[in-house]
């Protein structure tokens, strides 16, 4: 899988350390091409991460940012990567990304750091698109371009918030909206009604990492009851003909080896699957991401066999946007969709390959932000150009989150021919 683009010859390449939305360091890349046009990229960073993700290189110096500095990754861009790319012509994105992969020489990008490599790959994608005279989204093709259903993370728990809620994300998805603009409106209106309901019930309305509320609740069903009420308060139907609900329990964070603890209660894999089935029966849930731990492969097969015909089951920690892992999971009957995070695998080309595998197997794909974000809206263009039909970028609040949603509003306004909805 490659991008549609023209030849690019980098003439300068540099990086610097900046802050992400959590106040932690990340990498900013600037790539200059012939003609002296400069293309930039800012790299996101996850909090809830799969063990198989490409390695995010951190300095480990406790005297700076508690060891989370990224000066080593910056130095790799300013040194070895720059030396390998500058004044060399690349035919397309795949050509440049392969050069990065070969330069690193490890299976998980641990030598140079995925945060160094992906920043260069993203900036290069913008250069290739410009060289071909296209918008970025138009070059990131997997299927026909489509405006995605936004999945707004409106209640945060788990690793994303300091509350007792084990499930990490509760999202609203305006699947039944007639247009992308109306979907954004629905998300914002429900978010406002949810704030009012939580405040009226005496809950704090402080925000978690991704802009969702972080109430002092422990049971998922309590949150779901409030979400349904907020959707109805805003005047929308609940379900796939209106506003549906998507969950990201991030089960690896509260269980392993087929043993899980939710709201203080110990469960087996079968118990947790039973609980999901109960929630699906009671609430308008259409998608569940990371419903089981990444090491619970047999459980994932059971989960898929029992619930895969009823809801979307998204692999994230167990898939890590890795084409080889996704291909095996498809063969093993695990999940029916994949979460897509560019920094999880480390290059744009490998990301598009993963999405192409999903499309070919009839699996869904949801493009995703990370807990630590920047205003860079690359993933918005990826969601549109790939035609996957799904994007999650946090709540309809906080600048680094709404930057992605607003970028798609811009694309939608300029290209009214694009369809909206699930891919």
């Amino acid at each position: 899988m490659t991008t549609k683009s023209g030849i690019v010859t980098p003439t300068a390449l540099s990086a610097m350390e900046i802050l992400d939305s959590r106040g932690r360091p990340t990498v900013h890349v600037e790539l200059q091409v012939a003609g002296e046009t400069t293309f930039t990229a800012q790299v996101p960073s996850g909090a809830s991460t799969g063990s198989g993700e490409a390695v995010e290189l951190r300095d480990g110096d406790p005297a700076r940012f508690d060891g989370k500095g990224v000066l080593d990754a910056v130095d790799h861009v300013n040194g070895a990567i720059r030396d390998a790319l500058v004044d060399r012509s690349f035919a397309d994105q795949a050509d440049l990304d392969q050069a990065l992969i070969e330069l690193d020489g490890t299976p998980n990008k641990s030598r140079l750091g995925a945060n160094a490599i992906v920043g260069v790959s993203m900036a290069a994608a913008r250069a290739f698109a410009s060289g071909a005279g296209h918008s970025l989204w138009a070059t990131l093709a997997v299927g026909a371009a489509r405006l995605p259903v936004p999945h707004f993370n409106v209640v945060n728990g788990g690793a994303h918030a300091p509350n007792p809620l084990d499930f990490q994300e509760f999202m609203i998805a305006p699947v039944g909206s007639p247009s992308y603009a109306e979907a954004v409106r629905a998300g914002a209106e429900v978010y406002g009604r949810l704030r009012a309901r939580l405040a009226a019930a005496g809950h704090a309305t402080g925000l978690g990492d991704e802009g969702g509320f972080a109430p002092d609740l422990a049971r998922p069903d309590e949150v779901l009851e409030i979400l349904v009420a907020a959707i109805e308060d805003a005047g929308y139907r609940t379900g796939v003909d209106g506003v549906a609900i998507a969950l990201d329990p991030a089960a690896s964070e509260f269980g392993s080896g087929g043993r899980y603890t939710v709201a203080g209660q110990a469960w087996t894999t079968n118990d947790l699957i039973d609980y999901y089935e109960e929630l699906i029966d009671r609430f308008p849930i259409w998608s569940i991401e990371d419903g089981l731990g990444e090491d619970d492969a047999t459980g994932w097969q059971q989960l898929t066999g029992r619930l895969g015909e009823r809801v979307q089951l998204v692999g994230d920690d167990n898939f890590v946007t890795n084409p080889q892992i996704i291909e095996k999971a498809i063969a093993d009957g695990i999940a029916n969709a994949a979460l897509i995070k560019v920094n999880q695998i480390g290059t744009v080309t490998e990301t598009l390959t993963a999405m192409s595998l999903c499309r070919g197997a009839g699996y869904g794909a949801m493009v995703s932000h990370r807990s630590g974000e920047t205003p860079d809206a690359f993933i918005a263009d990826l969601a549109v150009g790939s035609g996957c039909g799904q994007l999650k970028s946090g709540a309809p609040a906080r600048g680094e989150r709404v930057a992605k949603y607003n970028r798609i509003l811009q694309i939608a306004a300029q290209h009214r021919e694009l369809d909206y909805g699930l891919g």
Side-chain angles (χ1 to χ4, degrees), residues 137 367 377-385 391 403-405 407-408 411:
W137 66 268
V367 171
F378 185 95
I379 62 168
D381 283 74
L382 175 62
V384 174
L391 169 72
K404 284 70 165 170
Y405 298 130
R407 168 60 181 153
I408 300 177
I411 295 170

Side-chain angles (χ1 to χ4, degrees), residues 3-35:
T3 53
K4 303 171 185 174
S5 46
I7 292 173
V8 162
T9 304
T11 57
L13 177 64
S14 64
M16 61 181 288
E17 186 180 68
I18 63 170
L19 296 181
D20 70 16
S21 58
R22 297 171 301 177
R24 297 178 182 176
T26 190
V27 178
H28 171 95
V29 171
E30 296 189 359
L31 174 70
Q32 189 176 93
V33 300

Side-chain angles (χ1 to χ4, degrees), residues 6 108 143 162 206 215 253 271 276 314 321 380 382 406:
N108 58 0
E253 300 291 328
D271 292 334
Y276 291 140
V314 185
T321 318
L382 175 62
N406 288 344

Side-chain angles (χ1 to χ4, degrees), residues 72-148:
D72 287 344
V74 166
D75 286 345
H76 289 318
V77 175
N78 291 335
I81 297 176
R82 179 190 62 197
D83 293 345
L85 300 191
V86 167
D87 296 329
R88 176 178 169 186
S89 294
F90 295 93
D92 55 26
Q93 183 80 41
D95 187 21
L96 186 142
D97 284 344
Q98 186 59 36
L100 290 169
I101 291 168
E102 291 175 359
L103 181 66
D104 177 81
T106 69
N108 58 0
K109 302 177 179 66
S110 58
R111 188 174 81 84
L112 299 176
N115 44 346
I117 291 170
V118 77
V120 175
S121 182
M122 290 164 60
R126 291 186 161 111
F128 282 115
S130 177
H134 297 308
S135 297
L136 177 60
W137 66 268
T139 71
L140 300 175
V142 173
R146 174 180 291 269
L147 302 171

Side-chain angles (χ1 to χ4, degrees), residues 17-360:
E17 186 180 68
I18 63 170
L19 296 181
D20 70 16
S21 58
R22 297 171 301 177
R24 297 178 182 176
T26 190
V27 178
H28 171 95
V29 171
E30 296 189 359
L31 174 70
Q32 189 176 93
V33 300
E36 303 198 356
T37 304
T38 299
F39 301 93
T40 66
Q42 296 179 338
V43 179
S45 173
S48 172
T49 57
S51 62
E53 291 195 22
V55 174
E56 178 185 70
L57 193 62
R58 298 282 179 176
D59 300 339
D61 178 1
R64 294 189 75 252
F65 295 109
D66 295 322
K68 298 185 184 298
V70 292
L71 293 181
D72 287 344
V74 166
D75 286 345
H76 289 318
V77 175
N78 291 335
I81 297 176
R82 179 190 62 197
D83 293 345
L85 300 191
V86 167
D87 296 329
R88 176 178 169 186
S89 294
F90 295 93
D92 55 26
Q93 183 80 41
D95 187 21
L96 186 142
D97 284 344
Q98 186 59 36
L100 290 169
I101 291 168
E102 291 175 359
L103 181 66
D104 177 81
T106 69
N108 58 0
K109 302 177 179 66
S110 58
R111 188 174 81 84
L112 299 176
N115 44 346
I117 291 170
V118 77
V120 175
S121 182
M122 290 164 60
R126 291 186 161 111
F128 282 115
S130 177
H134 297 308
S135 297
L136 177 60
W137 66 268
T139 71
L140 300 175
V142 173
R146 174 180 291 269
L147 302 171
V149 175
H151 287 62
F152 301 100
N153 181 7
V154 293
V155 174
N156 294 182
H160 291 171
N163 61 6
L165 192 59
D166 294 301
F167 281 20
Q168 186 165 277
E169 298 179 14
F170 294 77
M171 294 170 275
I172 52 172
V175 180
S177 292
S179 69
Y180 178 80
E182 286 300 303
V184 171
R185 174 190 164 201
E189 290 178 350
V190 173
Y191 184 74
R193 297 293 184 173
L194 177 60
R195 181 196 297 272
R197 273 203 165 261
L198 289 171
H203 294 292
T205 54
L207 304 182
D209 282 351
E210 297 184 354
F213 302 112
D216 189 25
L217 295 170
R219 294 199 343 257
D221 57 298
E222 293 179 293
V223 177
L224 290 167
E225 287 170 356
I226 294 173
L227 273 185
V228 167
I231 293 169
E232 293 173 344
D233 287 349
Y236 294 95
R237 293 181 179 180
T238 59
V240 293
D241 59 345
V243 179
I245 293 172
L247 302 178
D248 174 13
S252 292
E253 300 291 328
F254 57 81
S256 64
R259 297 287 175 177
Y260 302 91
T261 302
V262 179
Q265 186 173 356
W267 282 339
T268 64
T269 294
N270 283 333
D271 292 334
L272 188 51
I273 295 173
D274 287 342
Y275 184 60
Y276 291 140
E277 190 165 32
E278 175 191 334
L279 294 180
I280 293 167
D281 287 340
R282 292 178 57 194
F283 301 102
I285 296 167
W286 99 272
S287 179
I288 300 175
E289 173 192 331
D290 276 353
L292 296 174
E294 64 174 288
D295 62 350
D296 196 355
T298 300
W300 267 99
Q301 290 174 320
Q302 296 169 353
L303 176 68
T304 306
R306 284 183 56 181
L307 301 180
E309 295 296 321
R310 297 186 62 186
V311 295
Q312 177 175 259
L313 298 170
V314 185
D316 175 22
D317 287 350
N318 55 338
F319 284 9
V320 293
T321 318
N322 186 307
Q324 293 180 329
I325 294 174
I326 292 172
E327 188 169 34
K328 185 178 187 304
I330 291 168
D332 291 343
I334 291 175
N336 56 26
L339 202 69
I340 302 296
K341 299 171 177 173
V342 185
N343 80 316
Q344 208 171 37
I345 187 62
T347 67
V348 172
T349 299
E350 290 168 294
T351 302
L352 295 175
T353 299
M355 299 185 81
S356 182
L357 279 170
C358 290
R359 181 172 292 275

